[in-house]
Amino acid sequence: MIEKVLIANRGEIALRVIKTCKALGIKTVAVFSDEDRNSLHVKNATESYYIGEAAPAKSYLNQEKILDVMLSSGTDAVHPGYGFLSENDDFARLCEKNKINFIGPSADSMNLCGDKMRCKEAMLKAKVPTVPGSPDLTKDADDAEKIANDIGYPVMLKSVYGGGGRGIRIVNTDQELRDAYETVTAESIAAVGKSAIIVEKFLEKTRHIEYQMCRDNHGNAVHLFERECSIQRRNQKLIEQTPSPVVDEAKREEIGELVVKAAEAVDYTNLGTAEFLRADNGEFYFIEINARLQVEHPISEMVSGLDFVKLQLDIANGEPLPFKQSDLKMNGYAIECRINAEDTFLDFAPSTGPVPDVTIPSGPNVRCDTYLYPGCTVSPFYDSLMAKLCTWGQTFEESRLRMLNALNDFYIQGVDTSIPLYKTILKTDEYKNGQLSTDFLKRYDMINRLKEDIKNEIKEKQLPATAAAIMYSEFFHSKVQSSNGTNSNWKTNG
Amino acid sequence: MIEKVLIANRGEIALRVIKTCKALGIKTVAVFSDEDRNSLHVKNATESYYIGEAAPAKSYLNQEKILDVMLSSGTDAVHPGYGFLSENDDFARLCEKNKINFIGPSADSMNLCGDKMRCKEAMLKAKVPTVPGSPDLTKDADDAEKIANDIGYPVMLKSVYGGGGRGIRIVNTDQELRDAYETVTAESIAAVGKSAIIVEKFLEKTRHIEYQMCRDNHGNAVHLFERECSIQRRNQKLIEQTPSPVVDEAKREEIGELVVKAAEAVDYTNLGTAEFLRADNGEFYFIEINARLQVEHPISEMVSGLDFVKLQLDIANGEPLPFKQSDLKMNGYAIECRINAEDTFLDFAPSTGPVPDVTIPSGPNVRCDTYLYPGCTVSPFYDSLMAKLCTWGQTFEESRLRMLNALNDFYIQGVDTSIPLYKTILKTDEYKNGQLSTDFLKRYDMINRLKEDIKNEIKEKQLPATAAAIMYSEFFHSKVQSSNGTNSNWKTNG
Amino acid sequence: MDFKVENIEEIFSGEVIKKISNDEYLIKIQDKEHQLQILNINSNKMEFVLDNQFHSVRYIENQTAEMKIVLDGTSITINMHTHLDDIVYKNSGGAETGNAQLNLRSQIPGKVVSINVEEGSDVKQDDIICVLESMKMQVSIKSHKDGKIKSLKIKEGNSVNKNDVIAEIE
Amino acid sequence: MDFKVENIEEIFSGEVIKKISNDEYLIKIQDKEHQLQILNINSNKMEFVLDNQFHSVRYIENQTAEMKIVLDGTSITINMHTHLDDIVYKNSGGAETGNAQLNLRSQIPGKVVSINVEEGSDVKQDDIICVLESMKMQVSIKSHKDGKIKSLKIKEGNSVNKNDVIAEIE
């Protein structure tokens, strides 16, 4: 039985894991870099250990150091979160060797999932359809160019070690391909220390639909329904929802059966995600397995009623799944907005710095997973996800309205955020009608519509804004001129 | 269609109503007394109007003033919340006369529900079993004493206008009865401006189980399951849960059918609550109808997935219920703890004053309805409920563990709270096993067990507490003596 | 320095041994050394890590020999002195307790709704002296002993705070 | 006083007419009177009720003729002057824009991972000058015009803030 879990991560996901462990009476061990000395995960864990400098390679990716902490603190299990070491099979193997329960799939299965080519082969063997593309890793940019010309532009360059949209570029010409090849290589090396690139046909007007996989150590497997994550920027998800507007009960079951096959094909254990592209003609193509808990898992928790971290712990403890597929029912509609620190109008460039004040939305069927607190700092060393705002409703409309309300309540001082963009998106007919695709933002000209919305919002606030300016002048510029009488006429200065 | 709602209330329930209205795009009008100038309901509503002095009679009970605001602000509906004017049929009639949609039952139905004697008659006629007691209102203390001697002590004195446990006393002797008669009269007059008292047999080791009633203007009625509210102090609910551990599917249906009959017997419309005592032998006795939204409605929202305020608005708009009884399924387990400002060790005496700091718990399946914010004040003019902390779980155990976790996270500086008591209660085997009764606290000696828990908790914290004291002395008493060198030895002063 | 935590018998000795760096200290409690790192501190509040465990403390009230803190959400009173054994606690004396006590104090804040006695009245223990209203509750304040009302310190309609004197009873 | 809210054409005149009580004011905006009550105020923040509507404003930045505020969560810039019509906005000049601009500035904060040019190099518009890394993303900074690198203001491995000069290009 797991009694003490080290969380090899930071930010909201570390807090998320701590929350469930605390409720279950399981001790938690946090690790932190210089940058995270004052972070909430350090304060909420049972114990906290310093592991090095801010740069991930010096701390959150430092396997030896993390292993030291696990051994010296008497930890019996490790939760890797997402990113960092979560899909590093070397780390999983290191834990296995040191008899530390790695909460996730086995190192071998993770290795197979991470190797996009071998994984694809396994899927083809299991009759799970995949996207047309290079049969193997590219040797170099020349090789990639040759394959691209064979299958025809546009193609996608993809680091097999990438994840969450990083290490991916869509290119239309040989020159673009050559530039991108270098960048993807560099990003992949910076993120996980290695790089290997494949080329795939880029399908247009596709939807990103993924399935939560769940398989125990005894071979029992189920899927926990789909999530549609089509609203993206730079191949990274922005807004997710479940159920998908284009998946009905029959389709859910049909693809769900493929997902169970996929999990079996790679001998996957614990929770994971099978990602699919859905072409405009309704066909589903397997793209990859994410061998970890996803950022967007809360919306699946909301519609399934399950606590996924508890489920992960139970599976890691060797317990058999407590349910069969037929026991699982989807209940209601959930939406997640990823609240990023970024400047929407500057091609989503990162925005970092101190956050002197923050108001976190709350209320019935609103959930906000975040590391933010008044006085915290958004660090340039880690990714731009500050908060995950999720809402649930008995209908999609209820969920959408709650999200709009919660977005309005969310105030983050000091950094640019994606909140205004989401307000605009959620109000469009295209979003309401479920006309989703991975190029949603461009297709429907969202950035310009956001600009229009902001202009209108300011226009509506002209009167109180002017009043606020008047009172400021009154109080902080002309104080000396004022009389104290209750009914005296004050003159404005100027 | 309702477009603008005045909320004739304050505190958490005003905020609760505003939340749903906002999401639905309905404008809200808040009213506030001198004491509430800086309260959150004033800040969150679309418009806010001052209505008078702190004492409820001068503001929140001032019907004329509130009507003025409704008429001048162009309000088309009023939500009364609970307490204050919520069960005042004169106010409901005043609204009806002025063509303002009162969100609740008709004035006539409310009058019938509020008159406990006539209501009881109606129930007897509809074959809904009731508690043995006085056939009519008592004329005076003498009359009450006579009835008490007829049915035998212990008896309960109950103001027919009371609610939420106020205006109720259990007495064992003639002398106690005479003292209590005066107090109950005074309390009832203070709260609602009038008083009339009945005497009822007091049943021992009973459970308080209530059903959410729901009936539209077209005669469609359902129940939205039960809540068990047996853990009480001074006849006021402290902890509620749903489902009740002693209600199974068959019992739920059986009593549920009585509830629908009860609603029909008094021509009840909108949401309300039918309260029952469940004797130790399993019999249910109807006690009264609460003709309003209850404090504890969130736990029923959690297991039904419904938004009760939205449902209230829809019914008030004349819409037919969108579901039949057979469409409704209970999902999971929910618990509510009422976080009161009171001193558990001083017979739950009120505790009031400024709250310089507060930490509100949050997280998956945790909901906290509260008016608290850092820097707010708990006023002696209004009731002691500061927050309603609710948790949901797929199992009762999951809900209980989440509640314990959330109670641990809840920090309220400056006033005494019932949080420590709830932590103790939730950890007992008696609570876990569902051995509930309205005398739970006394029966299981909870106050002494709380004392023991607090002692142990402090013992566990001896080491860090001593460290905190050492560092305080170091920093704020001996600063002058200290050297600034990095490795210098500091001497403690002493 | 000696420290005694509330009603726990044990007395702890404690001191700072060494300042390791700007925010790190080595402290000794009952002959055992502990590492302590301060995350932030002001006169009301400190966040610190003790032996790799995070704690948050609010300093509520400080007197020479007594300190009230809230540690990780728990209220704790700490007595401290160079040699705690020598001190006669102020609470252990007989003053102001039980029958000898002159003042009847209110243990709750509230508004005086009625006064049931006059100056000079004879009262028995548990006789109602006055009724207060707070948070819509009526609470009776009863005499703590048999005696005579020497003086009344309240008026109808006025507010009283917690610990205010209601009456002197001799 | 005249006020102009961001890029909205209209110019509003506004003034305080009367102080009604300690925290209540009568103000006039565009010839219409409004009641304003202050709930609390300090130099960074004000909460007020205007015509029975609550608003919260944070004063982020204040200069003589320009004020940046966050009103109910929305960032707004307000220009103000006795007679706003007379002012030539500093932003309407041609300095530091387009082709004439000497400085290439970074619009994001980040660490310099590579520099692709040297001082004296000839560059074309959109040529990559350097690559920054921030939040695990690599972002290329491109030349804003054709020209020659007069000086480079960055070093590999260093951090740059938003608006820092990357290079002078002439």
Side-chain angles (χ1 to χ4, degrees), chain B residues 316-377:
Chain B
N317 270 325
E319 290 176 27
L321 292 186
F323 42 67
K324 288 190 297 283
Q325 190 69 53
S326 57
D327 298 329
L328 299 167
K329 293 274 168 291
M330 240 180 154
N331 180 28
Y333 292 75
I335 302 172
E336 170 178 277
C337 287
R338 298 193 187 196
I339 311 300
N340 295 329
E342 62 191 20
D343 184 346
T344 310
F345 297 117
L346 205 67
D347 197 23
F348 306 99
S351 174
T352 61
V355 174
D357 200 5
V358 58
T359 310
I360 308 220
S362 64
N365 299 303
V366 173
R367 167 176 170 183
C368 188
D369 290 30
T370 183
Y371 67 78
L372 295 173
Y373 64 89
C376 72
T377 297

Side-chain angles (χ1 to χ4, degrees), chain A residues 55-56 83-84 166 169 179 183 186-187 190-191 233-234 236 341 343 346 349-352 357-359 371 378-385 408 411 413 416 423 454-455 457-477 483-494, chain D residues 1 3 5-22 25 27-29 34 36 38 41-46 48 50-51 55 57-60 62-64 67 69-78 80 82-83 107-111 128 133-140 159 162:
Chain A
F84 294 128
R166 264 179 228 94
R169 286 289 187 288
D179 289 351
T183 325
E187 278 185 15
R233 59 125 176 77
R234 229 188 271 130
Q236 285 191 286
D343 184 346
L346 206 65
S351 175
T352 62
D357 200 4
V358 58
T359 310
Y371 67 79
V378 175
S379 163
F381 285 98
Y382 311 114
D383 76 31
S384 59
L385 182 74
N408 276 323
Y411 175 68
Q413 193 178 352
D416 293 316
K423 288 200 248 181
I454 288 176
K455 199 173 166 184
E457 201 183 345
I458 289 173
K459 204 162 192 170
E460 273 168 30
K461 291 184 174 163
Q462 218 173 345
L463 182 67
T466 304
I470 293 173
M471 294 317 291
Y472 190 88
S473 310
E474 192 64 20
F475 265 81
F476 301 108
H477 292 162
S483 78
N484 288 318
T486 306
N487 281 307
S488 68
N489 287 311
W490 282 23
K491 292 256 177 207
T492 54
N493 61 332
Chain D
M1 191 81 129
F3 300 89
V5 173
E6 218 153 296
N7 48 3
I8 294 170
E9 299 305 317
E10 222 174 336
I11 290 171
F12 276 19
S13 70
E15 59 180 327
V16 172
I17 301 289
K18 196 167 139 183
K19 188 175 185 187
I20 301 168
S21 74
N22 204 30
Y25 294 82
I27 63 172
K28 194 158 99 177
I29 296 175
H34 302 271
L36 188 147
I38 293 174
I41 185 166
N42 62 44
S43 57
N44 300 317
K45 210 180 148 171
M46 175 172 72
F48 65 105
L50 180 69
D51 303 332
H55 300 281
V57 60
R58 288 163 217 259
Y59 300 105
I60 304 295
N62 294 290
Q63 289 159 350
T64 324
M67 176 182 281
I69 64 172
V70 176
L71 179 78
D72 302 328
T74 306
S75 296
I76 301 177
T77 303
I78 300 168
M80 38 189 190
T82 323
H83 298 290
Q107 295 200 272
I108 64 157
K111 206 179 80 178
I128 295 172
E133 186 179 295
S134 183
M135 290 181 152
K136 300 186 192 163
M137 296 293 307
Q138 306 237 341
V139 183
S140 300
S159 291
K162 194 172 168 171

Side-chain angles (χ1 to χ4, degrees), chain D residues 154-167:
Chain D
I154 51 168
K155 275 190 190 159
E156 238 177 79
N158 283 7
S159 291
V160 297
N161 291 320
K162 194 172 168 171
N163 284 326
D164 277 2
V165 176
I166 298 286

Side-chain angles (χ1 to χ4, degrees), chain B residues 351-359 372-378 386 410-417 419, chain C residues 44-45 57-61 68-70 73 75:
Chain B
S351 174
T352 61
V355 174
D357 200 5
V358 58
T359 310
L372 295 173
Y373 64 89
C376 72
T377 297
V378 175
M386 294 183 290
F410 211 154
Y411 175 68
I412 303 173
Q413 193 178 351
V415 294
D416 294 315
T417 80
I419 294 172
Chain C
N44 300 317
K45 210 179 147 170
V57 60
R58 289 164 217 259
Y59 299 105
I60 304 295
E61 216 184 293
K68 285 200 167 105
I69 64 172
V70 176
S75 296

Side-chain angles (χ1 to χ4, degrees), chain B residues 113-314:
Chain B
C113 294
D115 185 334
K116 295 204 173 40
M117 296 317 297
R118 278 172 56 219
C119 185
K120 207 167 168 176
E121 276 165 36
M123 291 308 146
L124 289 172
K125 215 179 282 175
K127 303 212 187 306
V128 178
T130 62
V131 182
S134 56
D136 223 327
L137 295 181
T138 56
K139 288 183 211 79
D140 49 30
D142 288 340
D143 186 30
E145 188 180 314
K146 201 171 142 286
I147 298 165
N149 282 297
D150 284 351
I151 57 175
Y153 286 104
V155 301
M156 203 153 51
L157 291 190
K158 213 153 99 181
S159 165
V160 296
Y161 304 116
R166 263 179 230 96
I168 292 184
R169 286 291 187 289
I170 295 152
V171 294
N172 295 288
T173 64
D174 288 354
Q175 184 53 45
E176 279 181 25
L177 181 140
R178 284 181 175 277
D179 289 352
Y181 202 90
E182 253 179 77
T183 325
V184 170
T185 304
E187 279 185 15
S188 181
I189 286 171
V192 295
K194 47 188 175 173
S195 171
I197 293 176
I198 56 169
V199 178
E200 259 175 15
K201 179 75 185 163
F202 175 67
L203 297 167
E204 284 179 274
K205 208 173 172 188
T206 51
R207 289 169 182 257
H208 178 112
I209 296 177
E210 62 187 28
Y211 271 73
Q212 186 71 48
M213 309 189 304
C214 174
R215 188 159 174 267
D216 66 21
N217 301 345
H218 314 284
N220 305 307
V222 298
H223 69 89
L224 300 169
F225 322 123
E226 82 283 1
R227 294 182 286 261
E228 171 147 8
C229 318
S230 297
I231 298 187
Q232 309 187 340
R233 60 123 177 78
R234 229 189 272 130
N235 295 306
Q236 285 191 287
K237 299 161 189 168
L238 293 179
I239 302 179
E240 298 101 340
Q241 64 188 69
T242 181
S244 160
V246 294
V247 175
D248 58 16
E249 198 46 62
K251 196 71 181 176
R252 181 166 303 124
E253 221 170 279
E254 178 199 331
I255 306 299
E257 278 166 22
L258 288 181
V259 169
V260 168
K261 271 193 212 166
E264 283 161 357
V266 295
D267 194 16
Y268 196 93
T269 45
N270 216 304
L271 292 194
T273 298
E275 296 195 326
F276 293 86
L277 282 184
R278 178 192 176 275
D280 209 25
N281 64 5
E283 289 300 313
F284 277 69
Y285 299 104
F286 170 89
I287 38 178
E288 63 179 41
I289 285 175
N290 291 139
R292 54 173 155 84
L293 192 66
Q294 300 271 94
V295 171
E296 58 272 27
H297 76 273
I299 55 172
S300 296
E301 292 188 320
M302 281 173 149
V303 298
S304 69
L306 296 165
D307 179 334
F308 282 8
V309 173
K310 179 173 187 299
L311 195 52
Q312 286 193 299
L313 289 163
D314 289 344

